[in-house]
Amino acid sequence: DSEDDGGNQRFISILLRAIQDGPDNGGVTAFDPTDDRFTTPMTKAQVGKMVAGEPTEVPIYDNNGEISGYKTTMPEINLDSFYRFRIKEEVIFDKESSRLVWRILGIAPIKNVITSSGVDLGETELFWVYYPDMRPIFAKYEVYNGKNYGAKMSWEELFESRMFYGRIVKSTLDNPY
């Protein structure tokens, strides 16, 4: 199927498929976003609930315009709305070579949370995946770049070459080691 060719795959789709496959089938485990230490595994159902959101009760009206019952609906999932991610990294100073070494530890998709009444609650992490577990999966998928068809690269090459923009949102500068 055309969606499976390496260059036509959304990043969030790759993450969700790896979680759906699970660690026993060549996939990965998702971890709870309450902390970024990869301590609390999430089930596939919990991940689905985080991505899709809560079901809502919608009234059903009869011909007279009166409510005749309710039905439960799930919000539509627009995968294009997941375009920001948090990356947890470890920065190590190598004394022997006198240089900084950056190591990616985890990736979390970010979702903008809006209540049913339209109140914007801000951004939240949906789940964390452990990057070393994702590396072999990222190596299978190519990054689509409409401006450069000649230099193809995998998602793994993109991350290892640090070809992404980011800003520091949290740090542990008080750690002397």
Side-chain angles (χ1 to χ4, degrees):
D1 121 92
S2 65
E3 289 296 312
D4 282 340
D5 74 29
N8 193 19
Q9 190 68 250
R10 287 183 188 93
F11 185 75
I12 187 69
S13 299
I14 297 168
L15 280 178
L16 293 175
R17 182 170 296 148
I19 292 167
Q20 188 63 40
D21 289 346
D24 297 334
N25 298 319
V28 296
T29 301
F31 292 93
D32 196 288
T34 51
D35 71 14
D36 54 8
R37 296 185 180 177
F38 314 104
T39 54
T40 311
M42 294 174 70
T43 65
K44 294 173 190 175
Q46 288 172 314
V47 171
K49 192 173 182 182
M50 291 295 285
V51 172
E54 295 287 329
T56 54
E57 293 283 320
V58 178
I60 300 171
Y61 295 95
D62 62 14
N63 293 337
N64 299 331
E66 296 177 13
I67 296 174
S68 62
Y70 291 90
K71 71 175 182 176
T72 304
T73 62
M74 289 297 292
E76 262 186 54
I77 303 170
N78 179 7
L79 291 180
D80 290 329
S81 66
F82 300 100
Y83 57 89
R84 295 185 66 199
F85 298 84
R86 291 225 166 100
I87 298 176
K88 180 178 182 176
E89 297 180 297
E90 190 173 53
V91 183
I92 303 161
F93 181 70
D94 183 358
K95 292 179 186 174
E96 303 240 343
S97 63
S98 294
R99 63 186 190 112
L100 287 176
V101 178
W102 296 74
R103 217 176 95 206
I104 301 174
L105 296 178
I107 298 175
I110 302 293
K111 182 178 183 180
N112 208 29
V113 179
I114 299 173
T115 64
S116 57
S117 58
V119 178
D120 189 346
L121 298 178
E123 296 178 335
T124 186
E125 298 154 358
L126 296 180
F127 54 82
W128 281 97
V129 291
Y130 188 57
Y131 177 75
D133 291 347
M134 282 297 299
R135 272 185 79 177
I137 297 165
F138 286 152
K140 295 177 189 173
Y141 293 98
E142 289 181 358
V143 178
Y144 175 74
N145 183 353
K147 296 181 181 177
N148 187 353
Y149 295 109
K152 293 184 176 186
M153 80 168 54
S154 69
W155 282 103
E156 191 257 351
E157 290 170 319
L158 178 134
F159 283 111
E160 293 303 310
S161 302
R162 300 196 51 74
M163 297 180 75
F164 56 86
Y165 165 78
R167 60 186 173 87
I168 297 171
V169 294
K170 182 170 120 177
S171 94
T172 54
L173 288 177
D174 56 342
N175 182 355
Y177 303 105

